Amino acid sequence: MCTCASLLSEIFSSLLQLQLQEMLHLQEGALLEGTVCKIFPFGAQVRIGETNRSGLLHMSNITRSRVSSVGDLLAVDEKVKVLVVQSKFPDKISLSIADLESEPGLFLSNKEKVLSEAEDMAKSKQSCIDASPLLKGRERGSYKEIFSQSNGTEKIIHKN
């Protein structure tokens, strides 16, 4: 009887650890690899890694340029790198490629460059988020850019 209880406790503990690891993996600012599994008029559903979880890549988060048709930029089964903009565990995950662009509209002209620079851009975005005391306790995904001003203060540009 004792061994069954300890075995169940161990299994429960392992499952809890896996859930916590998955939650941490989907923190805002995390860079993920995914596969486009569905195209909508307003964006794309991206399956995250080899999991059964997916997130929404809204058309406004594909590139910082105007997007007329999501289907012109992305295809079903296409591999992409995305940044987690907002994650309301377990089923609301907002993703972005636009935040990985080194210059506005680069995804339209050079997808490969955006995907190859993704890791560096994600680190840069994460360091801005981590370094800003203005964002503590606020919803980080609602801000587009953070700029340090010459007078020592920071200016936040909100997403539209």
Side-chain angles (χ1 to χ4, degrees):
M1 185 76 169
C2 233
T3 57
C4 283
S6 65
L7 182 62
L8 285 174
S9 176
E10 192 175 317
I11 291 171
F12 180 74
S13 178
S14 296
L15 288 173
L16 188 59
Q17 275 186 331
L18 286 173
Q19 283 184 324
L20 287 172
Q21 284 177 348
E22 192 171 299
M23 245 191 327
L24 290 173
H25 183 64
L26 295 179
Q27 285 181 338
E28 294 165 18
L31 179 65
L32 306 172
E33 292 190 19
T35 306
V36 176
C37 51
K38 196 167 189 180
I39 303 283
F40 302 106
F42 54 85
Q45 181 181 11
V46 177
R47 183 171 50 106
I48 298 167
E50 299 300 318
T51 69
N52 61 352
R53 298 187 65 197
S54 64
L56 176 66
L57 177 60
H58 191 269
M59 67 189 307
S60 64
N61 286 332
I62 295 174
T63 182
R64 286 185 268 163
S65 262
R66 189 177 189 301
V67 175
S68 55
S69 171
V70 176
D72 290 344
L73 297 176
L74 298 169
V76 173
D77 293 330
E78 181 177 354
K79 302 281 186 206
V80 292
K81 291 184 181 179
V82 291
L83 196 68
V84 176
V85 175
Q86 189 175 36
S87 178
K88 293 186 179 178
F89 194 78
D91 59 351
K92 302 272 187 187
I93 305 164
S94 179
L95 306 170
S96 175
I97 294 174
D99 288 338
L100 300 173
E101 291 181 313
S102 56
E103 57 188 71
L106 185 60
F107 191 75
L108 295 173
S109 60
N110 195 345
K111 249 187 220 190
E112 293 78 23
K113 184 173 182 182
V114 173
L115 298 179
S116 69
E117 295 175 347
E119 194 169 320
D120 292 334
M121 292 300 293
K123 285 179 186 174
S124 170
K125 294 288 179 186
Q126 189 62 48
S127 66
C128 283
I129 289 171
D130 291 342
S132 176
L134 292 175
L135 294 180
K136 303 297 183 209
R138 295 193 184 155
E139 187 178 314
R140 294 177 179 169
S142 64
Y143 303 103
K144 190 68 172 177
E145 300 287 344
I146 304 165
F147 297 98
S148 293
Q149 297 180 330
S150 58
N151 64 1
T153 63
E154 292 178 325
K155 178 179 181 181
I156 297 176
I157 307 299
H158 294 271
K159 283 187 178 180
N160 293 338

